[in-house]
Structures are given as C-alpha cells and as structure tokens.
Amino acid sequence: MRPHVARNTSGRRSAIDRRATRHLGYVASQRVRKRIEEAFGWIKTVAGLRKTKLCGLPKVDWSFTFAAAAYNRVRAPKLIAALTLAPRRAVN
C-alpha cells in the first residue's frame, strides 16, 4: 500500500520518494484528496464551521451535516453539467 500524502516539490527533501509517486494510483489518490479538502475548506470558510458557535455533539453534528448538504447543493449544477456533456459509451 502506498502512502496517500502530498510530495514536497518545492526543492527541499521530501519524505515521499519518486518510487511512491510515479504510479497512476498515487495521482488518482491526490485528485480525490484535493476534492475532499475543497469540501472541508468550503465548510470551514463559507459555512462558518471553523469556529462553531454551538455546544454539544448533536448540535455540531447537525450543523456539519447541514453545511455538507449545502456544499452538495452548490456543487450539484457543475456535476450535472459534466454528466450531460460527457460522451456516452456504447453498451455491447
């Protein structure tokens, strides 16, 4: 199993060497990681959950679920547009 961490490419020594980052699975993993980080970043900044104003796990859980649903609503038009523009595969 390969580590799913970002490789340092700024010129310093990286803990992840080229043997781990040369595979297609690593590239796919980084794309998925970016998509997940974008969602959490949106929830922290736009939805205001960086510093929650609620007390208690049930309330914070509800607030996070609501924010994640709002992010899905924001992202839905782009996903629908990508599905309608994608070429269809022939089914044999």
Side-chain angles (χ1 to χ4, degrees), residues 42 68-84:
W42 188 92
Y71 179 72
N72 285 340
R73 295 276 299 179
V74 167
R75 202 167 155 244
K78 183 178 178 182
L79 293 175
I80 292 169
L83 283 175
T84 58

Side-chain angles (χ1 to χ4, degrees), residues 5-65:
V5 295
R7 185 167 189 251
N8 178 13
T9 57
S10 66
R12 335 179 264 161
R13 184 177 175 279
S14 179
I16 306 297
D17 62 358
R18 184 75 182 119
R19 292 175 295 175
T21 60
R22 68 179 174 214
H23 301 283
L24 292 176
Y26 181 82
V27 175
S29 170
Q30 292 302 304
R31 278 195 208 114
V32 170
R33 180 180 180 190
K34 183 177 184 335
R35 191 168 58 230
I36 292 169
E37 291 293 333
E38 283 176 356
F40 279 103
W42 188 92
I43 289 170
K44 283 181 174 182
T45 56
V46 178
L49 285 182
R50 184 177 306 274
K51 186 174 183 181
T52 184
K53 296 164 185 65
L54 302 172
C55 293
L57 189 58
K59 290 180 184 177
V60 174
D61 183 37
W62 177 87
S63 177
F64 179 80
T65 303

